[in-house]
Amino acid sequence: MQVADNVLQLAFQDMLTGLPNRRVLIDRVNQARVASKRSELYASLLLLDLDNFKPLNDTYGHAAGDLLLIEVARRLQQCVRETDLVVRFGGDEFVVLLTALSRHQGDAAELADAVAKKIAHALKQPYLLEVQDELRQSSTVEHHCTASIGIALFVNEAACHDEILKWADAAMYRAKKAGKNRIQLHDSAALFPGEKED
């Protein structure tokens, strides 16, 4: 029985962070599409990529990077409702699925942007990571990291999960290209700056 449970865990959970994985995300996005057809309420997908992850890995090793990802996952879960979904998408990318936002596109965009700003603020707080050197000596590393966030809104079943993910991904890359630590709404000229780095 335990072997079967472990197989199920591997199939649906990211082993590092304990978050649901991409397979769960696709299922939940499809459920959200069906639910929004009935309710006419917009949902939103936020795709975020950490801006300052590689230097940490390069300087202190993958163990330090893993500690950062675990802490990012914890902070993300604290920023959303219980009904929302936080997923580790791969590497240093995470996805947040927000459901039942509003019947009005503008209001839904404002709600999604408010969550994205809350996430950006939480993720830019300093990270204190306990790392070990080759001699197994522990030390605390303070790391600063921001996120580039792309937002895609969807309602009804007009777009499939692949299209919605592509929208969020394109918006995230626009946010990164605009200088990182930014929030970009798909298909909009509006670029929401995150709080400026000190």
Side-chain angles (χ1 to χ4, degrees), residues 20-30 45 85 87 89 95-97 165:
N21 63 17
R22 187 184 295 237
R23 182 179 292 187
V24 176
L25 174 67
I26 290 168
D27 183 59
R28 286 285 298 274
V29 168
N30 287 332
L45 196 73
L85 180 72
V87 170
F89 202 56
V95 171
V96 177
L97 175 64
L165 279 164

Side-chain angles (χ1 to χ4, degrees), residues 89-165:
F89 202 56
D92 61 341
E93 287 188 337
F94 293 82
V95 171
V96 177
L97 175 64
L98 307 173
T99 56
L101 293 174
S102 172
R103 282 189 170 87
H104 304 287
Q105 186 176 11
D107 292 342
E110 283 184 21
L111 289 167
D113 181 51
V115 174
K117 283 180 175 153
K118 185 177 179 182
I119 287 170
H121 179 74
L123 295 187
K124 80 169 215 171
Q125 303 310 307
Y127 296 82
L128 298 176
L129 308 171
E130 291 291 326
V131 298
Q132 288 188 336
D133 61 21
E134 307 83 37
L135 301 173
R136 314 282 283 168
Q137 298 289 321
S138 291
S139 61
T140 301
V141 171
E142 182 173 324
H143 185 69
H144 295 267
C145 189
T146 57
S148 297
I149 305 174
I151 303 174
L153 296 175
F154 62 97
V155 69
N156 211 316
E157 293 179 287
C160 69
H161 66 265
D162 276 339
E163 288 177 291
I164 296 164
L165 279 164

